Amino acid sequence: MREYADEAAIVAAVRAAETRTSGQIVCVLARRSCDTSAHATLYSATLALLAPWPLLAFTQLSAQHIFAVQAAVFIAALLLLNWTRLGLALTPRGQQRRQAFRAAAEQFFTLGMTRTRNRTGVLIFVSLAEHYARIVADEGLNGKITEVEWRAVIDDLVRRLREGRVTEAFVVAVGQTGELLARVAPPDGGNNDLPDRLVRIN
């Protein structure tokens, strides 16, 4: 997946959407949310424990040499799993989603999404490595926009992300979110309390 995102286009979409509503939209783009180190260590240790057996069965290597091979297998596997997509691929999908959701929730509070006057802030969070997207809306929007409506925006967003169209995914999602907000939170002349920028993490 291409990770390029045109911040200027995304910011322009946010500003255009916010002219129609008192709601405020913040976009966050994470390269990766899931920490795979625990699974990488487990898999590497398992490989290292298995490595001596064929050496004992089919070679005459000394214990010192076998130990060196075992250590090398552990280090090589750990580096491979931590520095390539293989580690993420071996991490259960449920864990990936839980960690990405936690990252979205952390960004919601870190960025002060609850500071808007009417509590109508909306966070659009994308984590590229996990192909994960989440929309987190503040409590002022509770019951005003249905889960079905939010899910339609997210499904469209994820589909475009999978096709590598990161900028387009954000721009369309912002536009769709703006339409939903315009219906339930019309402009009220309030201040723009949240940043009009693409927040990048990792």
Side-chain angles (χ1 to χ4, degrees):
M1 176 186 294
R2 291 183 292 111
E3 297 182 6
Y4 173 75
D6 185 345
E7 181 170 356
I10 295 168
V11 169
V14 169
R15 289 175 175 166
E18 290 181 349
T19 62
R20 298 175 288 159
T21 176
S22 59
Q24 295 185 43
I25 303 167
V26 175
C27 296
V28 175
L29 176 64
R31 289 186 59 199
R32 179 172 174 165
S33 299
C34 183
D35 180 4
T36 61
S37 58
H39 278 81
T41 302
L42 176 62
Y43 288 125
S44 299
T46 301
L47 287 173
L49 289 172
L50 294 174
W53 296 104
L55 299 177
L56 289 169
F58 301 110
T59 73
Q60 299 297 318
L61 291 175
S62 67
Q64 291 86 350
H65 283 100
I66 290 176
F67 177 76
V69 170
Q70 193 174 29
V73 167
F74 176 78
I75 293 170
L78 193 62
L79 291 173
L80 178 68
L81 294 175
N82 276 323
W83 294 100
T84 69
R85 290 188 57 85
L86 183 58
L88 185 65
L90 292 174
T91 301
R93 180 64 177 164
Q95 181 175 335
Q96 292 183 35
R97 293 182 64 84
R98 284 192 297 273
Q99 291 196 32
F101 173 77
R102 185 166 62 244
E106 289 173 354
Q107 287 300 309
F108 184 83
F109 291 104
T110 298
L111 295 171
M113 300 295 298
T114 60
R115 290 201 306 257
T116 61
R117 182 169 62 177
N118 297 317
R119 302 294 296 270
T120 53
V122 176
L123 176 75
I124 300 177
F125 177 89
V126 166
S127 191
L128 289 173
E130 295 83 5
H131 299 157
Y132 179 87
R134 183 84 181 184
I135 293 178
V136 186
D138 204 359
E139 63 182 23
L141 298 170
N142 288 350
K144 297 179 179 179
I145 298 173
T146 69
E147 287 298 321
V148 172
E149 290 173 312
W150 285 131
R151 174 50 56 187
V153 178
I154 293 171
D155 288 346
D156 195 19
L157 175 59
V158 171
R159 178 179 61 80
R160 294 173 196 273
L161 289 172
R162 289 185 180 278
E163 295 170 354
R165 297 182 288 168
V166 179
T167 300
E168 180 182 316
F170 269 112
V171 168
V172 172
V174 167
Q176 293 169 335
T177 299
E179 290 176 5
L180 295 174
L181 290 175
R183 189 188 74 210
V184 301
D188 63 0
N191 295 327
N192 185 12
D193 300 312
L194 300 176
D196 292 335
R197 63 187 178 92
L198 176 65
V199 178
R200 300 176 188 264
I201 56 177
N202 295 340

